Amino acid sequence: MPWQYTPYTIPLLLIALFTAIIGGFSLRDRSEKAAFAFVLFLAAIVEWQLAYILQLASVTLSAKLLWNFAVYVGAVIVPGAWMVFALLYTGRQRFVTRRTTAALTVVPLLTLALLWTNESHHLVFASQSLDTNGSFVVLTQQMGAWHWFLLAYLYTQVLIAILAIIDHFSQGTDEFRGIVAVFLVASLTPLFANVAYFAHLVRINPTPLAFAVTVVVLSISMYRYQLFDIVPIAHDLVVQQITDPIVILDTDGRVAEMNDAAKDLFSIDAAFTGCHGSDILGDVYPHIAAYDGEDEQHSNTAFELGEYRYFTIRLMPIADDTQEPVGKIVIFREVTDRMRAEKRFELLIENVTDIITVIEADGTVRFQSQAFEHVLGYDPESVVGDTVFDLVHPDDLDHIVEEFVDGIEDFGRLTQTEARFRHADGSWRTLELHGKNLLNHPVIRGVVITSRDMTEREQHAQELKRQNDRLAEFANVVSHDLRNPLTVAKGRLEIAQETGDSEHFEAISRATTRMERIINDVLTLAKQGDAVGETQHLLVATVATEAWETVDTRDVTLTVETDQVIEADESRLIQLFENLFRNAIEHGGPDVTVRVGSLVDEQGFYVEDTGPGIPEADRARVFESGFTTNQSGTGFGLAIIEQIVEAHGWAIAVTAGSDGGARFEIYENVRTELGGTEHLY
């Protein structure tokens, strides 16, 4: 690759070397974020200068374009690093977060991507060519749309850095004003050089050379103004860098100073010096004004300041050299997390479904949680001062007292038991109690008992037992009732095989049909159980007629005399009518008449037939699985009816019909305590 010598090579090398040395000194023994931003700024300058040396030294267009890309790697970093340094140095750390830092990389990365692919879109440079008119070859470029945007973006970053420095130091001492001058020179010199180049006032870009002025004035300021020393920003260390809000008041109650945290807390965005504390601090000021002591005072009272923020106040006197009071320092210590934790605990106690009780050693209730009212129906405050045993069931009282006495003799002991407690409505609820002896605890000083309502669990246990009993009943019925037709079918099949007589096949068919009905009915009982789907308002007459059409009714007559509307699961109500109709036909014969009508004095309906009826002695057993008085029946039809009635919360009664047949009456909205079906005989 051919190279050319330019008069700028040696100066740029020296400037780059000097910049690198200053960067090393800046980083040595420094842990401040501002120092790291400053070193990044200098490193980007060095990269820019070295890349520009190589760009000037190359003579071909392709080589110059390659090194020009390297130039822009440093060029797009320098303004952003300078702005970040200025923000950190002036105490504006809140603007330099991971998110904002990541956002600052978007435009530089996009610029480098566009520059690398410029020949395909010319957004960065509209044209790039070699200028051979001078003593050495230089790269000339016509800026594209993106480059104009880039310049505006980078110049804005430099402007932000300048404004941050001016705003922070211009109102201070001569030293502070000297720092402002340093930053102005360091910022504006390369900026004007860059403007001159892109305005085509000069043939080469003087910006890398102009950084010599930047580095020199900054290196001087590092020693004269102690650029990274704490002395120039001692004010920040004392006030601004403390995260707690701080307000300094004079003896007249006027605000002399406040840090940024205090400004944020009290929403101060204008001049505050000389304002009275009552105007700035609001409702908390009277407490502060009441302090007139010589010793430090700390308030344990949490004041709500701002939106859901809580602070305690620490007050310290300020005295001059003669120990005369000149004011006071008010430090606000945020305790929002503690207060929120306390409020969360209060809300937890108020809203938890378990009862939480604290009792004395003699059994007196000292605290009762809000769940006590939800579970047992009493106002929690009404039982404070009473003994915890007043509501215990008499049959459970002895073992509860015994558990309590044993528990209070052993600090930290955990106990668990169950007992029944009287509800405000007079019923009894079963509670599971967990107790812990904290009588010796410095804060609690009591026995803590958590009580969980287990009444529904007990009811579910009874329901589960009932279902298990039903399953056992199913198993017995199936094993017995399926064995009979199976034996018949097997015996008939053997005879048919020996004799070839076809009449036995009809008997086999009847046996298998009976087995199929038994299996289908058992599956209906086992699968559908007590569940109902979506309910709706249905005309009893319509549903009964629809069910009648699905049953083999032969020549049986159906009479429907009702216009009643009932809320039910349609498919299960149809199933109820189907089984009632089959029961009437199977027991009443081909000449039976079936009637459906409304109950006279109750909300409900009936299905009756003109058959032989059900003997009074058998009426209590007709809903048992497998019970039947018809040898061709399965004994499950009425059990299925019972399930459907139970699932809807109804009741069913078996009685004699108006013509002596069987009559089944279904009553709406009659639900037993445990959810079982009520039989009315």
Side-chain angles (χ1 to χ4, degrees), residues 145-167:
W146 179 263
H147 202 283
W148 287 111
F149 164 77
L150 178 65
L151 287 180
Y153 175 79
L154 299 180
Y155 290 171
T156 300
Q157 290 180 327
V158 175
L159 180 61
I160 291 173
I162 294 172
L163 293 177
I165 295 297
I166 293 175
D167 178 70

Side-chain angles (χ1 to χ4, degrees), residues 130 455 463 472 574 608 616:
L130 296 178
T455 308
E463 175 65 16
I574 291 174
E608 66 176 14
E616 189 171 351

Side-chain angles (χ1 to χ4, degrees), residues 316-491:
M316 296 184 295
I318 304 175
D320 58 17
D321 293 340
T322 63
Q323 299 305 310
E324 285 294 321
V326 295
K328 64 188 74 172
I329 298 176
V330 186
I331 301 177
F332 296 86
R333 176 62 54 87
E334 185 162 12
V335 292
T336 302
D337 290 342
R338 188 193 77 189
M339 294 299 296
R340 287 179 178 174
E342 292 178 1
K343 288 185 177 295
R344 279 196 297 268
F345 179 74
E346 292 176 1
L347 289 173
L348 176 65
I349 296 299
E350 291 175 2
N351 294 284
V352 69
T353 56
D354 290 349
I355 302 172
I356 299 177
T357 309
V358 180
I359 60 178
E360 307 283 358
D362 60 357
T364 302
V365 177
R366 194 173 79 223
F367 170 80
Q368 192 69 271
S369 69
Q370 195 63 37
F372 188 75
E373 182 174 8
H374 173 72
V375 175
L376 293 177
Y378 302 98
D379 180 7
E381 294 297 327
S382 68
V383 297
V384 174
D386 297 339
T387 65
V388 72
F389 310 112
D390 290 346
L391 302 177
V392 178
H393 193 284
D395 294 342
D396 298 335
L397 185 59
D398 289 343
H399 89 266
I400 286 294
V401 172
E402 182 180 353
E403 288 282 356
F404 178 75
V405 172
D406 292 342
I408 64 174
E409 294 177 354
D410 185 6
F411 177 72
R413 176 181 174 182
L414 292 169
T415 58
Q416 177 179 342
T417 188
E418 283 191 4
R420 287 164 291 177
F421 286 76
R422 186 176 64 251
H423 193 278
D425 63 8
S427 63
W428 295 97
R429 308 292 292 181
T430 301
L431 303 185
E432 181 182 79
L433 290 81
H434 295 263
K436 186 170 185 178
N437 181 357
L438 296 176
L439 286 167
N440 294 334
H441 191 280
V443 176
I444 308 261
R445 297 189 181 279
V447 178
V448 179
I449 300 175
T450 58
S451 308
R452 176 166 296 180
D453 189 358
M454 307 302 290
T455 308
E456 291 184 2
R457 187 191 70 175
E458 295 295 325
Q459 293 175 352
H460 288 319
Q462 295 181 40
E463 175 65 16
L464 181 60
K465 181 179 182 303
R466 189 175 68 84
Q467 293 178 355
N468 288 337
D469 291 343
R470 175 181 288 175
L471 289 175
E473 183 182 1
F474 287 169
N476 292 333
V477 170
V478 171
S479 63
H480 177 270
D481 287 15
L482 279 180
R483 185 177 290 112
N484 289 336
L486 184 61
T487 301
V488 170
K490 184 177 180 181

Side-chain angles (χ1 to χ4, degrees), residues 233-249:
I233 52 174
H235 173 267
D236 286 343
L237 176 66
V238 175
V239 179
Q240 299 297 347
Q241 297 302 320
I242 297 177
T243 57
D244 290 336
I246 296 176
V247 178
I248 300 176
L249 302 173

Side-chain angles (χ1 to χ4, degrees), residues 219-355:
S219 62
I220 294 173
S221 68
M222 289 175 63
Y223 295 98
R224 179 172 180 179
Y225 298 113
Q226 297 176 310
L227 189 62
F228 293 110
D229 199 281
I230 198 63
V231 175
I233 52 174
H235 173 267
D236 286 343
L237 176 66
V238 175
V239 179
Q240 299 297 347
Q241 297 302 320
I242 297 177
T243 57
D244 290 336
I246 296 176
V247 178
I248 300 176
L249 302 173
D250 63 18
T251 53
D252 294 325
R254 294 173 300 191
V255 178
E257 180 60 284
M258 62 194 310
N259 65 355
D260 288 341
K263 294 177 186 176
D264 292 340
L265 175 61
F266 294 103
S267 302
I268 304 300
D269 54 6
F272 58 84
T273 303
C275 295
H276 198 269
S278 58
D279 298 328
I280 299 294
L281 305 180
D283 294 339
V284 76
Y285 179 76
H287 178 81
I288 297 171
Y291 170 74
D292 193 24
E294 298 179 355
D295 298 323
E296 180 179 329
Q297 178 182 334
H298 188 280
S299 172
N300 290 320
T301 303
F303 297 90
E304 184 173 0
L305 303 173
E307 187 174 1
Y308 304 113
R309 296 181 67 186
Y310 297 87
F311 294 81
T312 58
I313 298 175
R314 179 183 175 189
L315 297 164
M316 296 184 295
I318 304 175
D320 58 17
D321 293 340
T322 63
Q323 299 305 310
E324 285 294 321
V326 295
K328 64 188 74 172
I329 298 176
V330 186
I331 301 177
F332 296 86
R333 176 62 54 87
E334 185 162 12
V335 292
T336 302
D337 290 342
R338 188 193 77 189
M339 294 299 296
R340 287 179 178 174
E342 292 178 1
K343 288 185 177 295
R344 279 196 297 268
F345 179 74
E346 292 176 1
L347 289 173
L348 176 65
I349 296 299
E350 291 175 2
N351 294 284
V352 69
T353 56
D354 290 349
I355 302 172

